[in-house]
Amino acid sequence: ASKATAECFQVLTNEPCLGLYFIMEHVSRSMPTVVKTKRRCAQARSALQGVHLDATFDRDAIMQATSEEAYTSLDAAINALREAVEELPSDLEASNAPGRADTGPTDLHGDAEEAASPAR
């Protein structure tokens, strides 16, 4: 009986050490994989944050471009251009009309005839 008691006592005292040994073996085998996975997750999170910011910026730009304010400001710019064209002198407007045979620069000061004529 004393031999059986001693053996039981030895198994009970070695059981935690044997359990810790197997835990240590498991950790040493699986830890490199866990570390690699954690690094890949951190890289993926960083990439996803960048993509999220890009998508948010693009969505905001689209929302701003399609808002009523964008159409209103675009209409205002078009009207301002029309008014500016209407205020152009009629001779300047005619000289820049499409289909004109002479496509050279427009002479606004009348210096072209003086430069083209021979010196007297």
Side-chain angles (χ1 to χ4, degrees):
S2 68
K3 186 176 181 185
T5 306
E7 190 176 311
C8 182
F9 186 71
Q10 183 181 5
V11 169
L12 286 176
T13 56
N14 286 336
E15 183 75 23
C17 292
L18 189 59
L20 288 175
Y21 171 77
F22 284 116
I23 289 173
M24 186 178 74
E25 283 293 314
H26 172 70
V27 167
S28 66
R29 279 193 310 258
S30 63
M31 199 51 131
T33 305
V34 170
V35 169
K36 285 179 186 176
T37 303
K38 185 176 179 180
R39 286 183 183 154
R40 287 196 336 235
C41 285
Q43 290 171 347
R45 180 182 297 126
S46 174
L48 284 175
Q49 284 176 342
V51 169
H52 177 261
L53 289 174
D54 287 346
T56 302
F57 177 76
D58 292 344
R59 182 202 62 203
D60 292 345
I62 289 170
M63 295 298 285
Q64 185 178 12
T66 58
S67 70
E68 280 296 318
E69 293 175 12
Y71 290 118
T72 305
S73 64
L74 186 58
D75 284 339
I78 290 172
N79 289 334
L81 285 172
R82 280 188 187 137
E83 290 173 6
V85 168
E86 289 172 1
E87 292 176 5
L88 286 175
S90 60
D91 59 337
L92 179 63
E93 193 175 291
S95 66
N96 288 331
R100 185 171 172 226
D102 180 23
T103 58
T106 304
D107 180 26
L108 297 177
H109 302 291
D111 296 335
E113 289 181 22
E114 293 174 13
S117 64
R120 294 184 185 165

